[in-house]
Amino acid sequence: MTAPRSEMIKSKAKAGSRTISWRARLGLVLFMVVAAVTVWTTNRALTHRFTESTRNRAELRLALYSGNLLSELRQHAIVPQLLARDQTLISALQSNDFSLSTQRLISFVDEIGAASIMLLAQDGRTVAATDRNRLGSNHRNAAYFVDAVRAKSTVFSVIPREVGGYRFTYSRRIIDATGVLGAIVVEVDLQKFERAWAGISDAVLVTDSTGTIILATEARWRGLKEGDALTLQTPEGAIQRAIRATTDWTALPPDAYLQGEAVMRLETRVPFQGWRMASFTTYSSVRERVNAVLALEIMGFAILLALAFYALSRKTALRMALFQRESAELRVLNARLQREIAERERMQKTLAVAEQSLAQSSKLAALGEMSAAVSHELNQPLAAMKTYLAGARLLLNRNRPDEALASFGRIDDLIERMGAITRQLKSYARKGGDAFSPVNLGDALASSLSMMEPQLRQRHVKITRILPEEPVMVMGDRMRLEQVMVNLLRNALDATKSVADPEVEILLAAGETATLSVRDNGVGIKDFDNLFEPFYTTKQPGDGVGLGLAISSGIVNDLGGRLTARNGQNGGAVFEMQLPVLVDGIEAAE
């Protein structure tokens, strides 16, 4: 027996290994697919998110740069107007005494932060300047002098430099009562913005109203159109950092191409003489941040994959060790089974003896239940007979024999009813099929109330009956139906013992089914699960054995009906007996 077991264990081990291998391959494929989809989705989502974040920061920087540039221009626009009204400078032009004028201009340049200030005479000659090298130079043909002398307001000029780039000046004429005395020229230092922009990763340029670049982080761009400037091969600098991104790095389409590479181009308007500012932002920070997250994801998947392989190897080793141990255990189990078989054969003999004892006990229990049922069902007629005998004795003592004979007649009916109850209990015990006949539920209810009349009168219970005008007919045994009604009425009376004004409402209705409802105003029902179980009762010892509802439910079920219980909306319990209605001799289905 051991050899076949060992062969079976080996075959199971091989089958288990094949199953593990197949599942491992499928799990590995699914894992790789999930990893690839996750990395692709993360790359796309984070690239889009970081690109938008980079664009937002670039837009913020561009707005800041344009605001600083505009602030610088507006700050210096008022300076020529103030200097043109300076009485010291006017007096110097009138008297041709400029010995103190240069020093005065130098004191002004420190306060306003201008690049330089020049005072020009009526003939365009420089008579005072913060840069002493310019003293004596003639600017008769310069645009800032010619336009300033002709205009009545401050003139802004962009002057190309000989060495490249541009000078930015504000100029205004100086006049007195005799006419034009000269002009004041204030040069604005906008190159400081170029130096500041060159320290960032963005490439920035400013164009005038004609589209010519006048400020740029790349010196070779100045004086060119933007399209021409972008085609130049510039040396390593800010623009080289700006073109280190390709279109596949971004989730958005490229804004511009520089040296064949895609860059993010942003543009804003500088509200000054039609100027515009543009920036070219690098994508390198986007790629670096996305790659950092992707590296963490890939590392996490790699760790999970390594753990999965380790777990599979450990599982295979454990399975093999388990199979070997099971093989040893099975050999021990074979010997144990032999002992258990002998033990079970002995137990079967003991069990046969116990089953015989149990059958005898079941018979005794059935006899006890039947005797309790007989006691319960005969208790009500006996109580009624006791009441009628007491009434008959009293009537005979009062010399009223005719009325006493009527009580004896009722006693005779109750004796006949007791005989019928014993026959019904036999029928209930064997679930027989006694012959049924049409029964008027209204008449059966009246007979049941007549039987319960002594208890109702003694308890002073208010009885409310609601009956239809037409008879309600069902197919059944009238005696058994009266037995059910008496049990329901007796339960209602017992439920109202603790109530000051006991009430019992009886409702008989006919529809799809014949329904008899008995409602009381007692405390209601607490345990619905065991309500119709035999020997279950909430009454005090001696008041009942708990078989009334069990017997009643069995009778109603035998008649094809249903007995239910619930608590009323205004308190108390409601018992409903539903039976198929008999219409023109045909019993309706429930």
Side-chain angles (χ1 to χ4, degrees), residues 245-257:
T246 57
T247 55
D248 58 347
W249 285 4
T250 67
L252 301 175
D255 298 323
Y257 287 91

Side-chain angles (χ1 to χ4, degrees), residues 15 23 48 90 118 206 259 274 318 350 420 440 466 478 517 544:
R23 291 180 178 177
H48 182 86
I90 294 174
M118 294 187 299
V206 178
Q259 297 183 4
L318 291 175
T350 305
N440 187 345
I466 303 176
R478 174 168 175 172
S517 301

